[in-house]
Amino acid sequence: QVQLVESGGGLVQAGGSLRLSCAASGSIFSISAMGWYRQAPGKQRELVAEVTRGGSTNYADSVKGRFTISRDNANNWVYLQMNSLKPEDTAVYYCHALNWGTKHCWGQGTQVIVSS
């Protein structure tokens, strides 16, 4: 019911910034939370940041103070501003939506590479 399309990934030097964007379409009225996950080579997918329907946010400890998640309700977009990037941030980043409170919806992923 929800389709997610990410953009904004790329190659950046350590200390640099990137802004990831995710466009949501479909039954967006049923979304209870949106967020960003990432998966590095050889590691499990992990939560990076999320924002609930009520506007509360949650961040992984490793990105607190560096990443900011935001949501544009009018235009159905969610963003991840990533500052002070580190090589360990290198991963495929996935947009995520929690639909109807239980169903997980995923974007196709966008690659972020941070060079040392």
Side-chain angles (χ1 to χ4, degrees):
Q1 289 185 298
V2 176
Q3 293 184 341
L4 305 171
V5 180
E6 304 109 326
S7 62
L11 176 64
V12 65
Q13 296 182 28
S17 298
L18 284 174
R19 180 178 170 88
L20 304 183
S21 301
C22 175
S25 61
S27 301
I28 56 176
F29 65 90
S30 62
I31 296 175
S32 58
M34 297 191 71
W36 293 89
Y37 287 69
R38 68 185 181 188
Q39 187 165 21
K43 295 186 177 181
Q44 297 185 37
R45 187 175 299 186
E46 64 176 349
L47 173 69
V48 178
E50 64 180 0
V51 57
T52 69
R53 186 181 182 90
S56 62
T57 58
N58 184 43
Y59 295 90
D61 288 340
S62 60
V63 307
K64 284 183 177 179
R66 300 189 297 120
F67 292 8
T68 303
I69 188 170
S70 60
R71 184 182 62 197
D72 186 335
N73 290 324
N75 295 303
N76 308 311
W77 291 80
V78 64
Y79 307 94
L80 185 68
Q81 179 66 46
M82 305 187 294
N83 299 326
S84 302
L85 283 162
K86 304 175 180 179
E88 48 263 46
D89 295 318
T90 296
V92 176
Y93 285 71
Y94 297 90
C95 185
H96 168 263
L98 185 63
N99 197 28
W100 302 108
T102 58
K103 182 177 175 61
H104 296 272
C105 302
W106 299 94
Q108 80 286 355
T110 184
Q111 177 73 62
V112 172
I113 300 176
V114 184
S115 62
S116 60

